[in-house]
Amino acid sequence: MKCRYIAGHWDFELAKQLCWCVSVASRPTNYRAPSWAWPSVDGTVQLLPYDTHAGWQALIDVLEVQIDLVVEDDEMSPVKGGYLEIYCQLIPMSAPEKGSALLRGLEYILDFYADDETAVLRDPLYFVPILLKFIGDFDRFSLGGFIVQQAGGPGVYKRVGCIFTSDIYHEDHPIVGLIGHRAGHPEAGIPSSLTRTELGMQKIRIV
């Protein structure tokens, strides 16, 4: 199977590669990649290990990926522009203090990893849920996604951070209710999954 290389990622199961986080983070002055791609930042990048990909449920649809290369026929060429179009849920949020995210309508604080620790983040900010996985006896779950803010015209955003949290108890947690409703009956041998909500779903472009 031939996969397309796109700014540090592969087009196969791209959604599972978007939940990267970075520590001691900053964005370089010179453009290197779109904000959703990890080469766009300086710092120690942590990716979701491929051996843990099983069981993750994508909460977005990848609609289009455009990468503009300095040398058009060379996938490894430096990147001069590009975007990612996805169908996703935008959940309004705020960052009341460094390292924390508060989703609108919930009183639950999530860990927030900024892509640039020197940047000043201003509202409006939005959380885009990307991956969810029920674990253990299906009474716990892990959730990953990124934070975006508007960048230009309507429907255009840039990534500014990541939320990744694991082993949250319980499957009826209000966050799950915010992004969909649980399906399946593990006690009957039918694995848990999430029926994604259509509430707040829309097409956006991330540059």
Side-chain angles (χ1 to χ4, degrees):
M1 178 178 60
K2 181 175 175 57
C3 295
R4 176 186 170 204
Y5 180 79
I6 41 177
H9 305 264
W10 300 99
D11 62 354
F12 178 70
E13 294 191 332
L14 178 59
K16 294 182 179 179
Q17 302 167 55
L18 296 175
C19 289
W20 51 267
C21 295
V22 59
S23 59
V24 194
S26 64
R27 289 197 182 273
T29 303
N30 296 329
Y31 184 91
R32 286 207 303 247
S35 65
W36 51 267
W38 64 262
S40 68
V41 299
D42 288 325
T44 302
V45 176
Q46 181 177 353
L47 304 174
L48 184 68
Y50 271 92
D51 60 358
T52 65
H53 274 194
W56 286 99
Q57 179 179 348
L59 303 175
I60 65 170
D61 297 328
V62 176
L63 304 178
E64 183 181 0
V65 184
Q66 174 67 39
I67 295 294
D68 301 322
L69 302 170
V70 173
V71 181
E72 292 186 3
D73 296 330
D74 182 2
E75 292 183 341
M76 302 297 178
S77 169
V79 175
K80 62 180 182 180
Y83 61 83
L84 170 70
E85 282 192 352
I86 59 176
Y87 182 64
C88 66
Q89 188 179 21
L90 283 179
I91 301 176
M93 58 154 284
S94 61
E97 57 185 42
K98 184 177 180 180
S100 66
L102 180 63
L103 305 187
R104 184 172 298 176
L106 298 180
E107 296 182 357
Y108 189 84
I109 297 292
L110 294 171
D111 292 332
F112 171 26
Y113 304 92
D115 292 343
D116 186 348
E117 295 181 352
T118 65
V120 177
L121 299 180
R122 295 183 174 87
D123 292 340
L125 297 171
Y126 301 91
F127 173 51
V128 178
I130 297 177
L131 296 174
L132 182 136
K133 180 180 184 179
F134 288 101
I135 55 180
D137 295 325
F138 303 98
D139 59 352
R140 292 171 290 130
F141 69 92
S142 296
L143 176 69
F146 51 50
I147 309 301
V148 298
Q149 65 180 179
Q150 291 179 308
V156 180
Y157 298 84
K158 65 178 180 180
R159 176 187 149 137
V160 296
C162 175
I163 286 177
F164 187 85
T165 188
S166 61
D167 272 8
I168 299 179
Y169 182 89
H170 164 281
E171 73 268 22
D172 293 325
H173 193 284
I175 294 178
V176 174
L178 193 64
I179 60 180
H181 64 272
R182 179 179 172 238
H185 299 280
E187 62 278 3
I190 304 173
S192 275
S193 63
L194 188 82
T195 300
R196 186 179 69 184
T197 183
E198 290 299 310
L199 182 65
M201 297 290 289
Q202 56 189 285
K203 182 176 78 171
I204 67 171
R205 175 176 290 193
I206 306 173
V207 295

